[in-house]
Amino acid sequence: MSLLEIVVLALIQGLTEFLPISSSAHLILPSQLLGWQDQGLAFDLILNIGTLSAVLIYFRYEVIKMLRAWVNSLRTKQQTRDSKLAWWIIWSTIPAALVGFFGKSLVETYLRSGYVIAVTTIIFGLLLWWADAKAKQVKTEYQTGLKGALIIGFAQVLALIPGTSRSGITITAGLMLGLTRNAAARFSFLMSIPIIAMASGYDMLKFILSDEYVDWSALFLGAGISFISAILCIHAFLILLNRVGMLPFVIYRLILGATLFYVLAGI
């Protein structure tokens, strides 16, 4: 991989993993426009580790509180708001984990079309706009509830379809359940931790069993760029969210989807 490819792909991963704009829609553009080849399993793995590290460090205090409360709830059978939130995150992860494990190959075989990505980028962008405009937005993440967490978890299953955006569809579901923009985003970011960790673990196993050549300098550079860009992205998104709402991201998705259609039609 060239230096330009490493920087661009790492930035795409770091910036689009947590914004509601679809990382898969962006990752298809370099290959379609510039003819770049697949970056390989090792690079995918290290980018995921970079973004996982970013969300863990950014929400380190919340994660530590939830872990302590969750462990204590197992011992004492008493629930606090932090232990409940931890349980809701766990339950919300199960649907996507199961469907991803059993249906990943099916998705990769039939749904990785550029046109599928363009369509889902537009459709789920419009759904995000509708949810942002119509939702009550009165609840915090601590008021999600088990039923709400499961609904968001099943919504996350749709993110297996390329172009949907994991953060986009989970924030959409959170808004529909009455969460504030900030609460929906925070719940989405927290529930990304186990799902990214599982995906990274799966890729790690495949990497260990493979004989892929490793360019360590490319990996370290990619990890650093994806980590820094992701943590800055999370911070800026949470600050700007209540000021600008979801409309700028919806407009961006519509432009991106139209661009994908234009590019694909010209190939």
Side-chain angles (χ1 to χ4, degrees):
M1 296 176 64
S2 68
L3 178 61
L4 177 62
E5 289 177 277
I6 294 169
V7 172
V8 170
L9 292 174
L11 281 173
I12 289 175
Q13 175 71 21
L15 294 175
T16 63
E17 179 67 35
F18 299 109
L19 292 180
I21 55 177
S22 175
S23 58
S24 56
H26 287 79
L27 289 169
I28 195 177
L29 284 174
S31 62
Q32 297 288 357
L33 292 176
L34 305 173
W36 290 358
Q37 299 300 310
D38 183 81
Q39 61 265 32
L41 180 60
F43 197 70
D44 282 341
L45 172 61
I46 204 68
L47 293 187
N48 278 332
I49 291 175
T51 52
L52 176 61
S53 301
V55 71
L56 277 171
I57 289 177
Y58 192 86
F59 290 103
R60 60 193 180 277
Y61 298 118
E62 289 90 340
V63 170
I64 290 171
K65 283 196 302 181
M66 284 193 300
L67 279 174
R68 287 176 175 171
W70 181 75
V71 171
N72 190 59
S73 74
L74 292 176
R75 188 178 68 252
T76 65
K77 307 300 182 183
Q78 295 180 346
Q79 300 291 339
T80 66
R81 72 173 199 161
D82 289 309
S83 67
K84 288 179 181 178
L85 183 58
W87 278 113
W88 297 339
I89 295 294
I90 292 170
W91 282 108
S92 70
T93 303
I94 293 174
L98 290 175
V99 176
F101 182 78
F102 292 107
K104 192 172 188 292
S105 60
L106 188 67
V107 171
E108 291 178 344
T109 301
Y110 297 105
L111 295 177
R112 289 203 67 84
S113 160
Y115 286 105
V116 170
I117 294 175
V119 169
T120 52
T121 297
I122 292 173
I123 289 177
F124 288 108
L126 291 173
L127 185 61
L128 175 63
W129 166 77
W130 182 86
D132 189 46
K134 300 296 183 180
K136 294 181 180 179
Q137 299 185 25
V138 293
K139 297 180 182 178
T140 71
E141 63 267 33
Y142 292 101
Q143 297 171 291
T144 303
L146 176 59
K147 181 181 177 181
L150 287 172
I151 291 173
I152 298 174
F154 279 105
Q156 185 171 236
V157 173
L158 295 173
L160 295 171
I161 304 173
T164 301
S165 171
R166 192 211 61 81
S167 62
I169 194 62
T170 51
I171 290 174
T172 298
L175 290 171
M176 288 180 173
L177 290 168
L179 296 182
T180 65
R181 290 168 179 161
N182 195 271
R186 290 173 66 85
F187 192 89
S188 172
F189 293 157
L190 289 171
M191 70 185 292
S192 75
I193 294 172
I195 206 72
I196 296 176
M198 284 187 284
S200 299
Y202 178 72
D203 286 344
M204 177 69 77
L205 179 61
K206 289 199 299 181
F207 174 67
I208 292 172
L209 297 175
S210 73
D211 56 355
E212 182 177 317
Y213 167 75
V214 177
D215 181 350
W216 290 106
S217 60
L219 295 188
F220 284 122
L221 179 59
I225 293 174
S226 66
F227 169 77
I228 294 172
S229 58
I231 205 165
L232 291 175
C233 176
I234 294 171
H235 184 66
F237 181 64
L238 289 175
I239 289 176
L240 294 173
L241 194 53
N242 289 322
R243 299 179 187 175
V244 302
M246 293 296 175
L247 186 58
F249 303 102
V250 173
I251 293 172
Y252 180 83
R253 286 183 69 124
L254 297 179
I255 294 172
L256 178 61
T259 302
L260 284 172
F261 274 120
Y262 176 79
V263 170
L264 293 167
I267 295 176

